[in-house]
Amino acid sequence: MNRLDVTEAIFAIKKEKELSWEGIAEAIGMSTVWTTSACLGMNSCPSGAATKLVEFLGLPEEATRVLMEYPTKEWDKSVPQDPLIYRLYEVVGVYGDTLKEVIQEKFGDGIMSAIDFSMEVDKEENPKGDRVILTLNGKFLPYKAW
Amino acid sequence: MNRLDVTEAIFAIKKEKELSWEGIAEAIGMSTVWTTSACLGMNSCPSGAATKLVEFLGLPEEATRVLMEYPTKEWDKSVPQDPLIYRLYEVVGVYGDTLKEVIQEKFGDGIMSAIDFSMEVDKEENPKGDRVILTLNGKFLPYKAW
Amino acid sequence: MNRLDVTEAIFAIKKEKELSWEGIAEAIGMSTVWTTSACLGMNSCPSGAATKLVEFLGLPEEATRVLMEYPTKEWDKSVPQDPLIYRLYEVVGVYGDTLKEVIQEKFGDGIMSAIDFSMEVDKEENPKGDRVILTLNGKFLPYKAW
Amino acid sequence: MNRLDVTEAIFAIKKEKELSWEGIAEAIGMSTVWTTSACLGMNSCPSGAATKLVEFLGLPEEATRVLMEYPTKEWDKSVPQDPLIYRLYEVVGVYGDTLKEVIQEKFGDGIMSAIDFSMEVDKEENPKGDRVILTLNGKFLPYKAW
Amino acid sequence: MNRLDVTEAIFAIKKEKELSWEGIAEAIGMSTVWTTSACLGMNSCPSGAATKLVEFLGLPEEATRVLMEYPTKEWDKSVPQDPLIYRLYEVVGVYGDTLKEVIQEKFGDGIMSAIDFSMEVDKEENPKGDRVILTLNGKFLPYKAW
Amino acid sequence: MNRLDVTEAIFAIKKEKELSWEGIAEAIGMSTVWTTSACLGMNSCPSGAATKLVEFLGLPEEATRVLMEYPTKEWDKSVPQDPLIYRLYEVVGVYGDTLKEVIQEKFGDGIMSAIDFSMEVDKEENPKGDRVILTLNGKFLPYKAW
Amino acid sequence: MNRLDVTEAIFAIKKEKELSWEGIAEAIGMSTVWTTSACLGMNSCPSGAATKLVEFLGLPEEATRVLMEYPTKEWDKSVPQDPLIYRLYEVVGVYGDTLKEVIQEKFGDGIMSAIDFSMEVDKEENPKGDRVILTLNGKFLPYKAW
Amino acid sequence: MNRLDVTEAIFAIKKEKELSWEGIAEAIGMSTVWTTSACLGMNSCPSGAATKLVEFLGLPEEATRVLMEYPTKEWDKSVPQDPLIYRLYEVVGVYGDTLKEVIQEKFGDGIMSAIDFSMEVDKEENPKGDRVILTLNGKFLPYKAW
Amino acid sequence: MNRLDVTEAIFAIKKEKELSWEGIAEAIGMSTVWTTSACLGMNSCPSGAATKLVEFLGLPEEATRVLMEYPTKEWDKSVPQDPLIYRLYEVVGVYGDTLKEVIQEKFGDGIMSAIDFSMEVDKEENPKGDRVILTLNGKFLPYKAW
Amino acid sequence: MNRLDVTEAIFAIKKEKELSWEGIAEAIGMSTVWTTSACLGMNSCPSGAATKLVEFLGLPEEATRVLMEYPTKEWDKSVPQDPLIYRLYEVVGVYGDTLKEVIQEKFGDGIMSAIDFSMEVDKEENPKGDRVILTLNGKFLPYKAW
């Protein structure tokens, strides 16, 4: 079994058992976003999470080690096309310089880590149309002089 | 005066008077991220905000109309290079499919609007290193069949 | 069965039964453009349409759920090459700035949604050569300040 | 005076006299979309329209000949970035194959001309949000065998 | 059978029977360039030509319908590499602006159609080295104002 | 004076004296396409043609030497955008493989030279719409084995 | 004075006074690589280093503040061309996957920071040809699960 | 057996026997980075190393010759995406000009060879977070005049 | 058998019989570079060479005709990555304008043919390190005016 | 004076004094190709050559130091377009893999240096058309294992 096999197996089981990403996440005691990304093969599982995932979904034993492998994180389209993903890319394009100004004003010269990082998706119900609340939480890393 | 002139004038005044984006935003009663993006020329100002901005910064009268113009929102590098901005691009690359799964599980088939949209930057103090909290808030737009 | 299988099955049946997209659309009570895009896998079917489509075409039962899945909307060539599609791209290139001027003059700062959106193709008979009438209908989304 | 000078002169006069594209179009008896594109330098004016445009706006005499020149129609970004224009590009990407199916079903093997072509923008008022109606009208050109 | 199968079958038969494109074209009463492009899958055959082609080459019956399908005209390399094809691309690059000047001087503002179009290849014997004569024949399409 | 200066001077004189490319070509005894390309700076003039061109147009003396310089032949857009030029690119894309088959069938393994090369533009009057006749004439260059 | 002015001033002074990067670095008590990058405008100076640099080089007072600004770190060629820089790019291409294997074997799943990072260049004299020793020193950042 | 087969066999054995790259390298008496790159197929093995590798890992006999073949060194993404590899690319982008200045100041006009080259990865333990030490060692190659 | 099959067969036989390109070339009485390129499928064999090659290597009879086919000459990476090939590309980049100056000074306005062309690789033994001597020999083709 | 100024000054003087690259090269006792590349700013001059060049051409004193600066070697088009330069690129594309086979067969695993490198252009007179002889001479650099 390789990563792709495991991801496909997860999708098949999820469809068959009519599970949700949220339900899977809850079952293994991790967040929904992280759990989904681990299932899609974009994050490695710590051994505890891997074991629980295999157990909960009824994946073959050998999937545990595969889930723990360190993935190569790559994506297909350097400018994404699916409208949901493109809108996020557009936000980075339109607001990139703005975020640089605001973050560096608040924190000094440095960046927001994409490694020591977490993210959540929430739903805000709203009579004019529900709203997606996306929260990115990354450690500030100051540039160092040497 | 065109957009670029106004942006440069704002940067010059901001430097001279040692203002912060946060201070400017407060003075005109808008959020920091939006105010910064309007000053960088990536959002048009409603007439009230334009007037206040001109007044507070001491910009020439004609800047008001320029600030109210509808900008062409474009960026230079289709894959950004500045590390602060690249990390956001990387998040979209690494987590794009994950966010599609999670958002569409929560909301149905559709996208998060980048137009009916707001964003905030917060600072979470933390002994292990402060953290940048980035909150994106966009209206969910369902696809329609016809 | 995955999306591709369903699309191929539809093409095969359409060929065999000598159906037209217009006929299929009529049978399921939806528009021709939308129905075609759903069959090509670029839109998800609401459950009613999926059921009718499966029934009308005699697709296997499991196709219903596949037709209801939320597709990843991607295309192969970032600059299209087939002449019919390229001409549409050319129209966007040649008239893009013009449309920005005209739409924003009529509606204010904002965009035409490509999500809350429909499109029709009509034929105008004309002795000098028939004409294709393409009508795009999208909700205007104003930018918001915050 | 070259094309760019004329376009800039038109923008300056339009701003100063607070004219609209619609108003200019009406004054010269042409459609709004075409008039705007001619002013932006993406279409050549027939001599009558050029004369009227120069007169109505009070442009220098020599602008007439410039407006009649045959423009080189080029655009800067092969994948557009401004959200209003990108959404149109996205429509071509998402619906390109669909339109090929539907147009060729209705008309036979061929394309919609982007040369023998016109386009209109209309506003449909709607309590849930006004809608942009974009109508493209192009002659069908059948492929020929020889 | 799909397009590719038919094209491969034609190549196999052509090789086996030692036919030439010119011979095939003659047999079906069409030009060599068009016949070749139809066999390569870049043009659809009118029903008469399809029938004759199937008959003359001894292709399976079902190839007739495939040859009549409307092809998606795409190519692999946006800048071609094979030297024979690159030289043609180079001619377009080197002489593109020249042809725009000359054609529009002779015909007015407009283009040469690539749809209502034919092309021939001839051989001019010459003691210093034979010459390839390539003749492109396309309808002039004037831009229209509206 | 450099190439660009000379080209601009030619355009200015041509406009002022209301000359045509055809007229200029005739005056110097060369073809229209070649003369235009030399004026646009994409071909070097033999000394006779340079002298006649300078004389006929009344260009400054030093232009003679500039017209005789060997130009760097480059173009801006690797995929052209102006519709007139794009259509030629499209022809190369759609018919490239076809031309390779047909030319190599007639001549053997080799290419059509783009250096030992000439081209003409003709107008074929036609009640259904005049036609552009483009004739490319290039020496066949066989590949050599060694 | 902006960044570019300061960088140019530094180059001019360095040339005139025949200084070396190493000498400048020593004078301000920082490393050679970092000092050079700060002078080239790719790193911001802490206030102490900025003051010393201005003093040592005799730059105008206002350069201090410019040197302390947070730079936008961008480069021109996404694939570098200068042979010295290309060789480094080639090393990343050839050994990228190898480094991923070796670093993650030694440290676990994570990356080497390019922010909490320093670099030195040393010269190893060698009779067969001196050798460049490049030492990169970056904090290991483990991915976190959440 | 081709390169890919050998690489896959090595990964499978390494996983099964729970070997590390460091252990494999030690067993054959070569460095870890080089050994890993040879196993990944990016360097050819001298015959001694190939023999030892085959023996130590228990690879089939014929793998020896494959390991000795001269590889084609290519990579998939001209701008890498995996964060670990991208950070190295970013270092080249941000510090490329700096390294050119510093290396050429120390050595004269020339480059650091990527062929007569070695590299090591070390771990520096650090209470604030361990550090990756990457050492590149390349022969300086001076440009020659001729 | 197609081109790829023949190339693979040649590589397999060459490996098995421990032949060299030089030995194969000698056996068929052609140069090493040309023979190698014909075996790699980048040149067509004249019938004599094809027959000898098939005989010498013991290829199946039908390979003769395949070796005589006219190849489509394409390459995968528009900017090559393998260091040996990249260095040649770098030479073209660094010395391209220089070669244009020198060749056109010696020969007049024109180019070096890549079709009526041959190339040799020689080895110059040298105590400081052997040297590769690459000789390109192409017919000069003058531009013609018409 | 910077590089560009010096290059332009050299071109102006060369034109005025009707010098050739060959003549300049002879005067300073270096080869034609290298001298031309140094004048175009793609190679740095050793101090002797710089002094002689300044003297021979009558360049201002300060040009000496500029000619000795280490240039950044970059080119504009990653795929060249001028036909003379493109043909060289095409040779690299068509024969790249062939040269890799032949060079590595003769020398072992390694590359031809583009740094320890020289090149000559010769003219071979030939009644069928003169021939350009391009000789590249680069040190072979073997890969090293470590």
Side-chain angles (χ1 to χ4, degrees), chain A residues 18-34:
Chain A
E18 300 194 348
L19 300 171
S20 66
W21 295 118
E22 201 170 359
I24 299 172
E26 237 165 75
I28 67 167
M30 303 295 291
S31 77
T32 307
V33 170
W34 181 87

Side-chain angles (χ1 to χ4, degrees), chain A residues 3-69:
Chain A
R3 277 245 160 228
L4 192 58
D5 300 328
V6 172
T7 294
E8 282 174 359
I10 293 174
F11 267 90
I13 293 166
K14 177 172 175 289
K15 207 172 178 177
E16 200 189 291
K17 303 199 179 170
E18 300 194 348
L19 300 171
S20 66
W21 295 118
E22 201 170 359
I24 299 172
E26 237 165 75
I28 67 167
M30 303 295 291
S31 77
T32 307
V33 170
W34 181 87
T35 304
T36 307
S37 83
C39 290
L40 292 180
M42 287 300 252
N43 267 314
S44 64
C45 286
S47 112
T51 310
K52 282 188 206 151
L53 198 55
V54 164
E55 214 169 282
F56 177 67
L57 293 172
L59 288 163
E61 191 59 26
E62 58 167 325
T64 315
R65 208 167 52 174
V66 178
L67 285 164
M68 293 173 63
E69 279 169 13

Side-chain angles (χ1 to χ4, degrees), chain A residues 81-88, chain B residues 111 143, chain C residues 73 115, chain D residues 90 94:
Chain A
Q81 293 178 328
D82 182 83
L84 186 142
I85 304 174
Y86 182 82
R87 295 308 179 269
L88 297 168
Chain B
I111 67 158
Y143 284 112
Chain C
K73 304 182 175 191
I115 307 299
Chain D
E90 189 179 281
V94 173

Side-chain angles (χ1 to χ4, degrees), chain D residues 61-103:
Chain D
E61 191 60 26
E62 57 166 327
T64 315
R65 208 166 52 175
V66 178
L67 286 163
M68 293 171 63
E69 279 169 13
Y70 307 159
T72 295
K73 304 184 174 190
E74 290 184 343
W75 48 97
D76 201 42
K77 309 254 173 198
S78 67
V79 174
Q81 293 177 328
D82 182 82
L84 186 142
I85 305 174
Y86 182 81
R87 295 308 179 271
L88 297 168
Y89 169 82
E90 189 179 281
V91 164
V92 174
V94 173
Y95 292 99
D97 290 334
T98 291
L99 290 171
K100 190 171 161 69
E101 288 290 330
V102 175
I103 291 174

Side-chain angles (χ1 to χ4, degrees), chain F residues 100-120:
Chain F
K100 190 171 161 67
E101 287 291 331
V102 175
I103 291 174
Q104 297 189 335
E105 175 174 305
K106 273 194 185 347
F107 292 83
D109 198 7
I111 66 156
M112 180 182 85
S113 181
I115 307 300
D116 189 334
F117 171 84
S118 66
M119 182 161 40
E120 301 300 334

Side-chain angles (χ1 to χ4, degrees), chain E residues 101 105, chain F residues 1-21 23-25 28 34-43 45 49-50 52-60 63-64 66-68:
Chain E
E101 287 290 331
E105 175 174 305
Chain F
M1 268 189 130
N2 62 22
R3 277 245 158 227
L4 192 57
D5 300 328
V6 173
T7 295
E8 282 174 359
I10 292 174
F11 267 91
I13 293 166
K14 175 170 176 291
K15 209 173 178 175
E16 200 190 289
K17 304 199 178 169
E18 301 194 347
L19 300 171
S20 66
W21 294 117
I24 298 171
I28 68 166
W34 181 86
T35 304
T36 307
S37 84
C39 290
L40 293 181
M42 287 299 253
N43 267 315
C45 286
K52 282 189 205 151
L53 197 55
V54 165
E55 215 168 283
F56 178 67
L57 294 172
L59 288 163
T64 315
V66 179
L67 286 163
M68 293 172 64

